[in-house]
Amino acid sequence: MLSEKIIDENKQGQAIVTLDKKGNTKKLFIESYGCQMNMSDSEIVASILSEEGFDTTQNLEDADLVLVNTCSIREKAEQTIRKRLQKYNRVKRINPEMKIGVLGCMAERLKTKFLEEEKVVDLVVGPDAYRDLPNLVKEVEAGKDAINVILSKEETYGDVTPVRLNTNGVSAFISITRGCDNMCTFCVVPFTRGRERSRDPQSIVEEAQDLWDKGYKEITLLGQNVDSYLWYGGGLKKDFDKASDIAKATAVDFAKLLDIVATALPKIRIRFATSNPQDMSLDVLHTMAKHDNICKYIHLPVQSGSTRMLEKMNRQHTREEYMELIDNVKKIIPNCAISQDMIAGFCGETEEDHQETLSLMEYVKYDFGFMFAYSERPGTLAAKKMEDDVPLEVKKRRLSEIINLQQQHSLFHMEKMIGQTVEVLIEGNSKKSDVHWMGRTTQNAVVVFPKGSEHVGDFVNIKIEDCTSATLLGTKA
Ligand code: SAH
Ligand code: F3S
């Protein structure tokens, strides 16, 4: 029905729906939950389906195909998706032709169980199977359920040009590695996203150049573990040892990749996420210091300040080694902002372990933080071998102590900025006011200031006059 309507309107020369790609008539509603990698993957999916006649729509009710990119990281994330499926179910009752698909980590984790447990779902596709979407969608359109959750050794989608979704036209994600080999005992990601593999550096530079040519000013290089990036011609990171001598000699690691991208595009701002302490080399820090266009901000999750806990989590570094890395960051890049991820109440965590987390936070004084209560995930080593023995009340209390301390530290960093002039890249309207712009400093701090004649995507110097623990407030310098 919908496609007929569009064609009719087109005949009269007044299309009511913008056709992104010539001839596309079907409508895709796609939404993403969880990490930035999911947002980036959804852009790859939108690109693959645009070749199959689908343009994206912001309107769920209009869609022929609804896809939700899912997250399994904590139980609550999965519950959110299940609730969302209920909403789809209500819309599908009105429009029974609408097809519903689940992508990403929950698809990979639950596989056929998803089709059994959630009757509304027609299609289940894991993170490495998006190239199969054209076939799978055809099956679904023919009235069958379809599933592909095969994980891959090579897939990086390096040749797919993403369709930018919800873009502000200023900042964009570029995925550089997929999967994770770290096997932290609490984490479901290695099971849902498979083994680590890296993308051809040339295709990364080409994507960055293309974004720059289209007016983008900032890119974020993405991976579960970007510092582990290693290109030696393709294939799994764990098979690097078996590569030829030439492949080994010409291999590109993360420090080199950063240097290549920052040199090729000297005006674009470069961010990256996520770094893992044991894989972050001093070379990366020196490369960051060398290039003005690499943002002075590192997201460096630690999860716990207790070496005993870090060992149980299989984090492969001690508290002291982490502190040494922090010392090096501060020495090599003195103005670098650092943020953390913390887990409160992992298996066997004592009050003493918790105090060590708080004291590590005091030592580092993180600029930002992302903090969670431990949530047991089926299939992980922790779920199989360790008891989830910290009572919920205790987890919550420890978490709130961690959050409170982080807020104090965030405020400390923000207050330090008052009186200083900082360079801000304007991303768009302030969330709270149409007469204010919102942008970020190189350290990733959010800055809000009154609008003048400048535009989204401009770099402006702002004098900071006030702050909260999350936002700097200022005026044009
Ligand atoms: N390296 C990844 C980590 C993904 S998970 C990245 O790109 O960020 C993000 C964060 O979720 C982790 O750093 C950890 O703090 C938290 N997390 C992971 N598994 C968890 C679990 N089972 N319970 C609570 N928090 C968890
Ligand atoms: Fe998860 Fe640890 Fe990798 S947190 S994504 S297994 S680095």
Side-chain angles (χ1 to χ4, degrees), residues 73-74 186 223-224 274 276 301 303 341 343 372-375 377:
I73 201 79
R74 283 167 291 275
F186 53 82
Q224 301 299 332
T274 297
N276 266 281
Q303 322 297 356
D341 286 349
I343 297 179
F372 315 98
Y374 171 57
S375 162
R377 305 314 294 130

Side-chain angles (χ1 to χ4, degrees), residues 35-37 72-75 180 182 185-189 222-226 273-276 299 301-303 315 340-344 346 370-377 380:
C35 64
Q36 293 168 325
M37 199 72 186
S72 286
I73 201 79
R74 283 167 291 275
E75 199 184 346
C180 187
N182 276 352
T185 54
F186 53 82
C187 185
V188 77
V189 171
L222 283 186
Q224 301 299 332
N225 184 6
V226 282
T274 297
S275 292
N276 266 281
H299 181 48
V302 64
Q303 322 297 356
R315 292 290 289 181
Q340 43 86 351
D341 286 349
M342 289 287 184
I343 297 179
F346 185 59
F370 304 88
M371 298 142 289
F372 315 98
Y374 171 57
S375 162
E376 187 178 87
R377 305 314 294 130
T380 57

